[in-house]
């Protein structure tokens, strides 16, 4: 049968391979690293028989460990934090919270409509368009101090309506 490759059963070597890797790698990575070694052995194929399967297997394991260290160094793996509830709390978007957010936006829009026009324009340009006081002054033809007074007026106006 030409073209057919013989597959070597490596299952007898897996416990020793696991111990070898466990001594040299993070315990949570052992299963992945063992799998990487076995995949490399499988992909290699068996065109040429291996004289010392166990020796070759541990040579591949050393190569896999070296590759993992290189990859971890490049990706700064040590600086990563596990995604846990304590470090990254889940922000539940409940229907009530979504509704409350929409109501807050509606209240803000209504308050902006009730504001004096110049005060509203100054506030919107600063908070939503992120323009500087000087740029707003030039745009609207008012002084920088007038821009500041109108920003404060808008903030007091919104605070009186319990808005951000």
């Amino acid at each position: 049968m030409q073209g057919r490759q013989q597959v070597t059963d490596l299952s007898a070597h897996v416990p020793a391979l696991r111990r070898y890797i466990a001594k040299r790698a993070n315990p949570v990575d052992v299963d992945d690293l063992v799998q990487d070694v076995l995949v490399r052995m499988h992909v290699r194929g068996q065109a040429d028989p291996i004289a010392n399967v166990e020796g070759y297997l541990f040579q591949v394991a050393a190569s896999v460990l070296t590759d993992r260290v290189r990859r971890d160094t490049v990706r700064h793996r040590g600086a990563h934090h596990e995604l846990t509830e304590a470090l990254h709390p889940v922000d539940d978007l409940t229907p009530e919270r979504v509704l409350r957010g929409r109501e807050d936006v509606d209240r803000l829009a209504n308050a902006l409509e009730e504001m004096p026009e110049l005060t509203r324009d100054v506030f919107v340009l600063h908070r939503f368009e992120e323009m500087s006081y000087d740029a707003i002054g030039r745009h609207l033809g008012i002084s920088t101090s007038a821009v500041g007074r109108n920003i404060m007026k808008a903030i007091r106006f919104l605070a009186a309506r319990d808005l951000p």
Side-chain angles (χ1 to χ4, degrees), residues 44-56:
R44 177 198 175 275
Q46 299 298 320
D48 299 321
I50 301 170
N52 179 359
V53 174
E54 190 172 28
Y56 187 76

Side-chain angles (χ1 to χ4, degrees), residues 137-156:
R138 284 191 305 274
H139 180 73
L140 297 176
I142 60 176
S143 69
T144 304
S145 61
V147 170
R149 284 192 303 273
N150 278 286
I151 294 286
M152 290 308 300
K153 187 176 176 182
I155 291 171
R156 283 192 299 272

Side-chain angles (χ1 to χ4, degrees), residues 72-92:
D72 289 351
T73 301
V74 168
R75 295 180 181 169
H76 304 287
R77 185 173 178 206
H80 296 188
H81 297 285
E82 186 176 339
L83 187 60
T84 62
E85 180 70 27
L87 294 175
H88 305 280
V90 175
D91 197 13
D92 291 325

Side-chain angles (χ1 to χ4, degrees), residues 99-112:
L99 179 62
R100 215 173 325 119
R102 287 182 182 159
E103 289 171 349
D104 287 346
V105 169
D106 289 343
R107 288 180 45 229
L108 179 61
N110 291 334
L112 287 172

